[in-house]
Amino acid sequence: GESVGLHLPTLSVQEGDNSIINCAYSNSASDYFIWYKQESGKGPQFIIDIRSNMDKRQGQRVTVLLNKTVKHLSLQIAATQPGDSAVYFCAVRGSGSARQLTFGSGTQLTVLP
Amino acid sequence: EPEVTQTPSHQVTQMGQEVILRCVPISNHLYFYWYRQILGQKVEFLVSFYNNEISEKSEIFDDQFSVERPDGSNFTLKIRSTKLEDSAMYFCASSEARQETQYFGPGTRLLVL
């Protein structure tokens, strides 16, 4: 099966700096990767996704990088704002018949004033 | 912007009682999911549902659990004879197609006493 882990359980950054949150996955056949943001007491909120045929995708202030060689995924947030403070999860979907998402354990991002 | 809704937001029940958690997926979505998150732990997949039947389920989703789409809008998770360890946040999600992004509801916090 799939296992997904994040490198750091917590990350503190200064407002205005860039944030990088990393994630590793185990199944080389995984073909779809998503980053979710979860604020306290709320459900996971979709941020950005990437499929295995890409290695980079950009959104508004966010970039996801996928390195399939080392099975590593990262989320970059540019000019981090106080509203970015939340727990960030990567989720990975396997190929074939197993289509459910496997979530990582989450990184708590704290933006310091 | 359309969103997944869930009711109730909080549910307290006695051990051994049955609970029904309700979800209204996004209206044009065809795939529905239930996940749970025990406090401080990862989001875990429970079940996926399509075309009025279960398409995938995890080891967690045993005979105690059942899902139903009783009408054209609601999607329910029933937990029979609740146990203390069923206490968790339960998230409903939906996607337009099987390979598309899953959007999550705000969750139901279930507390079993």
Side-chain angles (χ1 to χ4, degrees):
Chain A
E2 176 72 80
S3 68
V4 180
L6 278 92
H7 293 185
L8 290 174
T10 62
L11 176 66
S12 295
V13 298
Q14 292 292 137
E15 182 178 353
D17 287 353
N18 297 334
S19 304
I20 300 176
I21 301 171
N22 297 299
C23 182
Y25 61 97
S26 64
N27 187 352
S28 56
S30 298
D31 65 356
Y32 183 54
F33 309 86
I34 312 172
W35 281 101
Y36 286 95
K37 170 186 180 182
Q38 187 178 29
E39 296 173 288
S40 182
K42 297 184 179 180
Q45 176 188 355
F46 171 80
I47 302 174
I48 192 167
D49 59 1
I50 189 168
R51 298 189 190 278
S52 58
N53 60 351
M54 303 172 70
D55 53 22
K56 180 179 180 179
R57 191 162 186 226
Q58 289 185 285
Q60 188 178 12
R61 283 201 306 118
V62 294
T63 301
V64 56
L65 299 177
L66 175 63
N67 185 331
K68 294 180 287 295
T69 303
V70 295
K71 292 180 281 190
H72 181 270
L73 185 70
S74 69
L75 175 70
Q76 301 178 2
I77 305 173
T80 314
Q81 301 169 0
D84 295 328
S85 292
V87 178
Y88 289 80
F89 295 95
C90 67
V92 176
R93 189 177 64 201
S95 61
S97 60
R99 305 305 288 175
Q100 71 265 29
L101 296 178
T102 300
F103 278 77
S105 52
T107 292
Q108 172 71 59
L109 176 66
T110 302
V111 182
L112 306 172
Chain B
E1 184 177 320
E3 56 183 20
V4 177
T5 59
Q6 290 185 243
T7 54
S9 58
H10 295 78
Q11 175 90 48
V12 181
T13 190
Q14 293 291 322
M15 189 171 57
Q17 296 296 304
E18 174 182 287
V19 295
I20 297 177
L21 310 183
R22 290 182 167 79
C23 169
V24 179
I26 295 173
S27 62
N28 64 330
H29 286 188
L30 302 177
Y31 290 83
F32 316 119
Y33 312 84
W34 283 101
Y35 291 81
R36 79 172 184 190
Q37 185 179 30
I38 295 171
L39 186 64
Q41 298 187 22
K42 297 181 182 184
V43 176
E44 301 173 289
F45 171 77
L46 293 178
V47 65
S48 62
F49 190 86
Y50 170 72
N51 198 26
N52 281 319
E53 60 183 27
I54 291 173
S55 50
E56 290 173 88
K57 60 181 182 179
S58 71
E59 295 174 350
I60 304 168
F61 193 88
D62 59 20
D63 293 343
Q64 182 193 9
F65 295 89
S66 62
V67 289
E68 191 179 24
R69 186 147 164 88
D71 53 43
S73 59
N74 290 284
F75 178 52
T76 63
L77 174 69
K78 182 188 292 184
I79 310 175
R80 287 181 283 274
S81 188
T82 49
K83 299 176 283 194
L84 296 177
E85 54 265 37
D86 294 328
S87 296
M89 282 288 283
Y90 287 81
F91 295 108
C92 174
S94 69
S95 63
E96 193 168 350
R98 198 178 193 200
Q99 299 192 39
E100 296 305 314
T101 302
Q102 295 177 26
Y103 292 91
F104 282 73
T108 293
R109 183 174 295 281
L110 176 65
L111 179 60
V112 182
L113 302 176

